[in-house]
Amino acid sequence: MSESEKTRLIAWSHELRTVHGRLREALTVTQQALAAGAAVEAATRDLLLFCHGFCAALTAHHEGEDRHLFPAIAEQFPQLRDTLRYLQQDHSMIAHLLGGLQAAVARAAPPAELHRHLEGVAAIMESHFRYEERQLLTVLETLALDTDPEVVLGPL
């Protein structure tokens, strides 16, 4: 294996950690937008903007994993198929929670309700990311996948 191939292969574990870090930051910015809003209308407008960006980014990340990353892992590491199914179930649960958050933001729910939605998303997202990293970072260091990281892990 050439040095450039090694670098490309090892980059998948780095790429996943980087995207997870950016999604964590986006969630923090979204939470801060809610916490900082003295006037509910201003906070709701800010939250709508931040939520749209965060929700779209997290959704694109999970869709890319489901379409590209997980099938490649399943093919090269069949012993991880149960883990991948579990992670896809998490993706469905997170999508449901994001839908609830988006609906609450769209109807200008009270800040306490919006905070509960964000806390729910944050808790499940963090648990999911930690599990995914524990289970997949090692295999991502050797994964052979010749696809643009933005397609596989989302446009972050």
Side-chain angles (χ1 to χ4, degrees):
M1 181 180 312
S2 74
E3 205 55 43
S4 65
E5 287 174 318
K6 274 186 183 177
T7 301
R8 182 179 57 79
L9 295 175
I10 293 171
W12 285 109
S13 61
H14 172 75
E15 291 290 333
L16 183 69
R17 275 192 232 124
T18 299
V19 168
H20 284 180
R22 289 181 180 158
L23 287 165
R24 287 175 174 117
E25 290 170 11
L27 178 61
T28 298
V29 168
T30 303
Q31 290 169 318
Q32 290 170 346
L34 177 60
V40 173
E41 287 180 23
T44 301
R45 277 194 308 274
D46 287 348
L47 187 59
L48 190 58
L49 174 65
F50 290 120
C51 177
H52 177 72
F54 167 72
C55 293
L58 186 56
T59 298
H61 170 65
H62 288 158
E63 288 174 350
E65 285 182 333
D66 289 346
R67 271 193 223 117
H68 302 283
L69 184 64
F70 292 174
I73 292 172
E75 181 180 316
Q76 295 174 45
F77 302 93
Q79 70 276 18
L80 291 174
R81 286 193 174 127
D82 288 340
T83 298
L84 298 172
R85 272 192 291 278
Y86 177 79
L87 290 168
Q88 287 174 314
Q89 288 173 346
D90 274 3
H91 290 174
S92 293
M93 182 182 355
I94 291 169
H96 176 75
L97 293 172
L98 289 175
L101 171 61
Q102 289 172 313
V105 169
R107 67 177 161 72
E113 182 182 340
L114 295 172
H115 179 73
R116 283 192 304 273
H117 280 283
L118 279 173
E119 287 303 309
V121 169
I124 299 301
M125 184 185 88
E126 187 59 34
S127 171
H128 171 76
F129 283 177
R130 287 181 184 200
Y131 178 76
E132 186 172 61
E133 290 169 2
R134 278 193 316 271
Q135 298 299 314
L136 300 183
L137 284 179
T138 301
V139 301
L140 289 177
E141 290 178 4
T142 60
L143 182 70
L145 178 61
D146 191 21
T147 306
D148 182 350
E150 285 191 14
V151 170
V152 176
L153 297 174
L156 283 175

